[in-house]
Amino acid sequence: MDKRRIGRSDLTVAPFCLGGNVFGWTADEATSFAILDRFVEQGFDFIDTADVYSRWAPGHAGGESETVIGRWFAARPRTRDRVVLATKVGMDMGEAGKGLSAQHIERACEASLQRLQTDRIDLYQSHLDDADVPLEETLRAYERLIAAGKVRVIGASNYGASRLKEALALSASAGLPRYECLQPDYSLAERGYEAELEPLCRAEQVGVIGYFSLAAGFLTGKYRSAQDAAGRPRENRVAKYLNPRGFALLDVLDSVAAAQGASPAQVALAWIIARPGITAPIASATSVAQLDDLLGAARLTLSAEVIARLDAASAGGIEG
């Protein structure tokens, strides 16, 4: 399988990233282990999580996903060196703090390392821009973690183009570590990234690993009405796509998938993988069967004609 470089770093990964947000939440530990086992058995190597996963769930405090992954590493000692591990810092962790101050980053990194049962984080990402903390303070904190061998490469998530550009310029002028990767909300249903962030990332050679690559599951085709989404964990996120524009996109996805002998999810992910400048889409699975379907996207090649058809069906995204 062809590997893709994360920005200008020395990290290379397969073109699909497994999202860890469901581990310890909608996928229990045994199911999570089975998904992770199958993922690496199939030759894939890129796993993304965050310290805050899954603090939003009742009774959860955050750190549940990292804890499950850490237990998996402990139970499968040889897997750690086969995986490029990404996690994030900055979201509200309650009493443990939030933001991108040096103190919080360094404290949160130690907590993540303990939960993950590892000595280093391959890709450590600022989960959310923090306008209250100077960029230099944040980058120097990462510099110290890199020097200590606790972090290899840094990235950013949910940054606007102007702030990402400012951070990259500061890294260049001050000789500080640079954000080698950006994690935006990006899918056939959400194409706002393309306006300003895409040209910046391509010009600066910043890797891109989009989240919600399947629009919270909408692009799998399993939500075709409000009734389909009712009571599901992603109900609120999917609701905005349940409109004529969203359904029209699903119709095109269905047609393309049938012609390709693929699933709608595979087509939606393959479209992202084919996009210039993309390192890998991120998607999560709550069963091995679901994972197997998603992994098929990395082996699916879409023609220029099919890509143009999908572009036209999703131009501008489908919100509203």
Side-chain angles (χ1 to χ4, degrees), residues 58-257:
H60 287 205
E64 288 80 12
S65 173
E66 289 184 333
T67 297
V68 168
I69 294 171
R71 289 174 179 164
W72 178 68
F73 283 143
R76 318 278 198 277
R78 296 181 181 179
T79 58
R80 180 62 187 94
D81 290 338
R82 298 172 62 186
V83 166
V84 173
L85 175 64
T87 192
K88 311 180 201 73
V89 58
M91 289 290 193
D92 189 352
M93 289 289 285
E95 292 182 1
K98 64 179 180 179
L100 298 176
S101 69
Q103 182 182 44
H104 181 67
I105 288 172
E106 290 166 3
R107 185 170 57 233
C109 180
E110 291 299 329
S112 286
L113 289 170
Q114 289 181 24
R115 286 190 292 265
L116 290 162
Q117 300 194 47
T118 185
D119 61 348
R120 82 275 186 195
I121 295 165
D122 299 309
L123 175 62
Y124 202 30
Q125 301 158 97
S126 297
H127 205 158
L128 186 70
D129 187 17
D130 186 348
D132 295 329
V133 176
L135 285 169
E136 183 169 355
E137 178 180 342
T138 297
L139 294 173
R140 290 205 180 279
Y142 287 135
E143 181 181 47
R144 289 190 289 273
L145 291 173
I146 291 171
K150 297 176 181 180
V151 170
R152 295 179 65 188
V153 171
I154 61 169
S157 178
N158 298 304
Y159 270 52
S162 61
R163 281 285 280 182
L164 179 60
K165 185 175 182 178
E166 183 182 355
L168 293 170
L170 176 60
S171 295
S173 64
L176 292 168
R178 74 191 293 266
Y179 287 136
E180 297 292 355
C181 194
L182 174 71
Q183 191 171 146
D185 184 351
Y186 186 51
S187 69
L188 277 167
E190 297 282 358
R191 298 184 61 178
Y193 147 82
E194 294 172 18
E196 296 182 336
L197 285 166
E198 183 181 57
L200 174 62
C201 289
R202 292 187 66 186
E204 295 288 343
Q205 295 178 290
V206 173
V208 177
I209 53 171
Y211 66 87
F212 282 151
S213 300
L214 294 172
F218 175 74
L219 296 175
T220 67
K222 64 183 176 182
Y223 303 116
R224 308 254 176 185
S225 68
Q227 289 74 27
D228 291 339
R232 303 293 290 273
R234 300 285 178 83
E235 179 180 4
N236 293 335
R237 293 192 181 277
V238 170
K240 64 181 178 180
Y241 305 127
L242 300 175
N243 57 52
R245 294 185 73 192
F247 298 139
L249 176 56
L250 288 186
D251 286 343
V252 174
L253 265 179
D254 287 340
S255 175
V256 170

